[in-house]
Amino acid sequence: MVTVLFALMAAGVCSAQWYVGGAISYGTQRLGNDSDRARTSEFSFTPRVGYVFNEQMLAGVQVVYTHGCVKSDVVDTSFNMGGIAPYFRYNVVSSGRFTFGFETELSVLSGSTVRERQKTWSVGLGIAPVVSFGLTEHWWAEAYLDLFSLEYQVMPSENGPEGSAFRFGLDADNILSLSALRFGVVYRF
């Protein structure tokens, strides 16, 4: 009985379409009015591993690393954050080598500011349209546009929460600033 179970599991793994890959993004944005302008920049790297269920559905997990900075007349700080983000993608349209779908991810990140070592953590939910292009049978190029996000971020201190932020909405400003555009490559086995 156990041998049959292992044989079925091995057959499922051998016929499965696993993939590995990653994405990078860099964005910069100006915030505020003319008297109090701040400039933010952010670089992120997200290696991922996943499983293709069929041509329309795939799921996986990615490791997230982000480095960013905020500079203004009042603030000059940078931060590093890392964590995991499981995701699920549903491809809506496939035409030749192109696919278009939507990917939803749940991210759990923690990190700190570089100089002050102030700890922070966040939990987020995002939905992004994704365009994929099959370069070869195994290699795929992908582009993601993080438009919708729901995020809760906390910067705790020893005496209780020092600060928190709750973000919700459709972030159309990122379309023009490229802050939410990620490019990636995956290899399907």
Side-chain angles (χ1 to χ4, degrees):
M1 180 70 164
V2 172
T3 321
V4 173
L5 180 61
F6 280 121
L8 288 173
M9 287 172 50
V13 169
C14 291
S15 67
Q17 184 142 21
W18 291 92
Y19 65 92
V20 295
I24 61 170
S25 70
Y26 175 79
T28 183
Q29 190 173 17
R30 290 194 183 271
L31 305 171
N33 55 31
D34 290 336
S35 63
D36 184 27
R37 292 193 69 103
R39 182 179 180 99
T40 66
S41 62
E42 185 174 294
F43 169 79
S44 70
F45 174 63
T46 54
R48 58 176 41 202
V49 63
Y51 178 79
V52 179
F53 296 105
N54 56 42
E55 289 298 315
Q56 291 180 311
M57 293 186 294
L58 51 106
V61 65
Q62 56 191 356
V63 177
V64 179
Y65 170 75
T66 300
H67 174 77
C69 64
V70 178
K71 292 184 180 186
S72 72
D73 295 338
V74 180
V75 176
D76 183 5
T77 187
S78 60
F79 60 90
N80 294 314
M81 294 190 76
I84 61 168
Y87 62 91
F88 175 80
R89 183 185 308 169
Y90 184 79
N91 291 325
V92 179
V93 175
S94 292
S95 176
R97 295 178 148 190
F98 282 97
T99 61
F100 175 77
F102 291 95
E103 185 170 292
T104 183
E105 71 180 31
L106 175 66
S107 62
V108 179
L109 306 174
S110 68
S112 65
T113 57
V114 174
R115 268 188 234 138
E116 301 86 10
R117 295 286 181 210
Q118 181 180 2
K119 302 289 185 194
T120 183
W121 62 267
S122 71
V123 176
L125 176 68
I127 298 174
V130 180
V131 176
S132 299
F133 177 74
L135 301 169
T136 66
E137 180 183 351
H138 297 286
W139 289 98
W140 288 75
E142 299 183 334
Y144 316 80
L145 186 59
D146 296 328
L147 289 178
F148 176 78
S149 64
L150 173 66
E151 180 183 11
Y152 180 68
Q153 184 175 12
V154 174
M155 293 158 280
S157 71
E158 295 175 4
N159 301 329
E162 188 170 299
S164 63
F166 180 73
R167 296 176 195 86
F168 174 76
L170 181 66
D171 196 357
D173 291 338
N174 284 338
I175 294 172
L176 300 176
S177 69
L178 300 179
S179 296
L181 187 60
R182 294 182 287 154
F183 296 101
V185 175
V186 296
Y187 180 82
R188 293 184 180 184
F189 295 98

